[in-house]
Amino acid sequence: MDVLVVNHPLARARLTTMRDARTDSAAFRAALHELTVMLIYEAMREAPVRVERIHTPVARTDGYRLANPPLLVPVLRAGLGMADQAHKLIPDAQMGFVGLARDEKTLQPTPYMESLPDSLADRPVLVLDPMLATGGSMVHTIQLLAERGATDVTAVCTLAAPEGVRRLEESGLPVRVVTASVDERLNESGFIVPGLGDAGDRQYGAV
Ligand SMILES: O=P(O)(O)OC[C@H]1O[C@H](OP(=O)(O)OP(=O)(O)O)[C@H](O)[C@@H]1O
Ligand SMILES: O=c1cc[nH]c(=O)[nH]1
Ligand SMILES: [Mg+2]
């Protein structure tokens, strides 16, 4: 499985702001927005383009548009903090939604929402979730996509744990990962170490 770690200095600076326990919710959301732009930018680097002839004020030239805009799928809640920025960067994209809450004890994802197109054959999909921890939530989400025919899925995560990357790889699902960091490990509570805490709570408050 392909794992792209975006370790550009500007990405690392945003991630540091997100990791810092002193960062308040507003600053956390702002850093996540900016980091999302960088991750999506890299995730789309190899996207096919179609060529169209355009006129500049000076001459005719080739212009370029995305040949096949992706479906964006934020995983609620935390992925909502990536959705608007990804959509601004890819305005032609359609958006679907998956809502999952991880059980604090079992670490299993509990689904509470699903809004996806029926067919995803020939559609690239970008799944947006800041955290890839055990990988349970991401595997669940990509299974929903694969059932609808998706074969080209990119998991865009600010942070990943090695355990989650391994789980995705072993799932055999058609996915690659774009992240700003693969951290050290998970702790006994299933949190990424050093991580940044609970990405949903840090954006929106504890539930
Ligand atoms: O890889 P996993 O072990 O499945 O953990 C990752 C999931 O945990 C977080 O969501 P959470 O369940 O905390 O929900 P929230 O976004 O509403 O806070 C995160 O946003 C992922 O969806
Ligand atoms: O560290 C973690 C693990 C799962 N979900 C989070 O929000 N943070
Ligand atoms: Mg959470």
Side-chain angles (χ1 to χ4, degrees), residues 35-44 72-73 79 82 86 125-132 138 153-159 175-180:
L35 181 54
T36 298
V37 171
M38 299 176 206
L39 294 177
I40 298 289
Y41 184 80
E42 290 299 337
M44 295 296 289
L72 302 174
V73 181
M82 304 171 76
V125 183
L126 300 186
V127 180
L128 311 175
D129 192 332
M131 310 303 275
L132 177 64
M138 189 58 74
V153 180
T154 304
V156 182
C157 309
T158 55
L159 272 187
V175 62
R176 71 185 175 118
V177 175
V178 176
T179 184

Side-chain angles (χ1 to χ4, degrees), residues 1-195:
M1 183 179 66
D2 191 27
V3 179
L4 174 65
V5 178
V6 179
N7 59 3
H8 188 288
L10 298 179
R12 297 176 93 173
R14 297 315 183 282
L15 185 55
T16 300
T17 300
M18 292 173 65
R19 288 190 193 277
D20 192 330
R22 296 168 302 180
T23 301
D24 67 15
S25 287
F28 185 96
R29 291 194 302 272
L32 175 59
H33 292 168
E34 291 172 355
L35 181 54
T36 298
V37 171
M38 299 176 206
L39 294 177
I40 298 289
Y41 184 80
E42 290 299 337
M44 295 296 289
R45 183 174 286 280
E46 306 294 334
V49 292
R50 66 179 159 78
V51 181
E52 66 180 37
R53 293 293 287 172
I54 58 163
H55 294 269
T56 77
V58 179
R60 274 168 66 83
T61 188
D62 283 344
Y64 304 91
R65 310 269 182 208
L66 282 182
N68 192 8
L71 176 75
L72 302 174
V73 181
V75 179
L76 277 49
R77 285 178 306 165
L80 272 184
M82 304 171 76
D84 277 357
Q85 297 304 313
H87 217 179
K88 276 186 191 151
L89 222 47
I90 315 174
D92 299 339
Q94 196 184 343
M95 200 170 307
F97 300 87
V98 171
L100 300 175
R102 196 172 72 146
D103 184 288
E104 282 177 15
K105 290 207 176 64
T106 65
L107 303 182
Q108 296 306 307
T110 306
Y112 59 84
M113 213 282 241
E114 184 185 312
S115 173
L116 295 167
D118 288 340
S119 173
L120 294 173
D122 303 323
R123 289 276 289 282
V125 183
L126 300 186
V127 180
L128 311 175
D129 192 332
M131 310 303 275
L132 177 64
T134 65
S137 302
M138 189 58 74
V139 165
H140 177 90
T141 303
I142 297 169
Q143 276 167 346
L144 294 176
L145 301 169
E147 282 163 14
R148 289 164 171 79
T151 56
D152 175 5
V153 180
T154 304
V156 182
C157 309
T158 55
L159 272 187
E163 292 89 337
V165 171
R166 212 173 307 124
R167 174 120 175 235
L168 269 191
E169 189 154 32
E170 288 169 2
S171 74
L173 289 161
V175 62
R176 71 185 175 118
V177 175
V178 176
T179 184
S181 173
V182 179
D183 274 12
E184 287 167 23
R185 61 184 171 88
L186 294 178
N187 68 15
E188 51 292 340
S189 306
F191 276 83
I192 300 176
V193 179

